[in-house]
Amino acid sequence: MAAGVRRYDPERRQRIVDAALRVVGSRGIAGLSHRTAAAEADVPLGSTTYHFATLDDLLVAALRQANEGFARAVADSPDLAGPDADLAAGLARLLGRSLTADRGRAELEYELYLAALRRPALRPVAAEWCGAVAEALEPRTDPGTARALAAVMDGIGLQVLLTDAEYDEPYARDILGRVLRGGRGRTG
């Protein structure tokens, strides 16, 4: 290829986001910069600043990508699909899988999520996560109970990750069941 000719690379933006997630996973948010993302993605530094003008822009994209999984898992879960399904048991099982199948991924997601405390640009994306999980639950319960379930799952997840405790599925099922019994939603 001749010098100075730009190569079209439609996957470059995605590679940068994936690289940012790897950097945050291995070094934490403090270790993420345009430079570290570019090195991890094996792209020129200018590519990261072209696609993401600020570090917050890159973090927003990374958080948005990290968020996609759990809400989709709730919406697509066969454990939650049937009208006779035990919603508390299904959610407890799903939460347990998300926390134990790939603990590093769960830690990464929460690190990005909690970064919204200090980075206001991330707050709308963190709110999107809460909203997406609640929206996925609304076909099974009322909106207020769906939001409460999302909050409780969030809290249980944080407790498990922050204390290095083993995930206690019966406890989660009991607490989620209490939320469901207190609302207008069905538990089964």
Side-chain angles (χ1 to χ4, degrees):
M1 181 179 290
V5 174
R6 269 189 126 145
R7 186 172 55 107
Y8 177 65
D9 185 357
E11 304 298 321
R12 185 169 288 190
R13 184 181 192 284
Q14 184 59 51
R15 284 201 329 266
I16 294 167
V17 173
D18 292 341
L21 287 168
R22 288 191 303 274
V23 169
V24 172
S26 64
R27 302 180 206 170
I29 287 179
L32 181 65
S33 66
H34 280 101
R35 189 172 305 282
T36 59
E40 181 69 25
D42 194 26
V43 300
L45 178 58
S47 289
T48 60
T49 56
Y50 171 79
H51 289 287
F52 304 99
T54 68
L55 192 57
D56 279 352
D57 293 339
L58 180 54
L59 283 168
V60 162
L63 178 56
R64 188 163 278 130
Q65 182 169 312
N67 283 350
E68 291 173 353
F70 191 72
R72 188 175 330 121
V74 169
D76 296 344
S77 175
D79 291 341
L80 308 175
D84 296 328
D86 181 340
L87 187 56
L91 289 173
R93 205 168 21 259
L94 190 61
L95 180 60
R97 281 195 300 258
S98 80
L99 292 171
T100 58
D102 186 351
R103 188 178 180 106
R105 178 72 180 188
E107 289 172 354
L108 166 68
E109 290 169 2
Y110 273 103
E111 183 170 0
L112 287 165
Y113 180 62
L114 291 172
L117 290 170
R118 300 270 185 222
R119 294 179 175 268
L122 297 178
R123 290 180 187 158
V125 183
E128 285 173 17
W129 180 88
C130 297
V133 171
E135 185 177 304
L137 292 170
E138 284 180 16
R140 293 294 315 276
T141 189
D142 63 277
T145 302
R147 283 188 11 242
L149 290 168
V152 168
M153 288 188 294
D154 215 6
I156 291 171
L158 277 172
Q159 287 177 353
V160 168
L161 294 173
L162 294 175
T163 63
D164 286 328
E166 290 292 318
Y167 177 69
D168 185 346
E169 188 173 314
Y171 167 77
R173 184 178 54 244
D174 177 55
I175 298 304
L176 293 165
R178 289 179 193 205
V179 171
L180 285 161
R181 286 188 297 275
R184 295 186 309 266
R186 301 179 301 271
T187 60

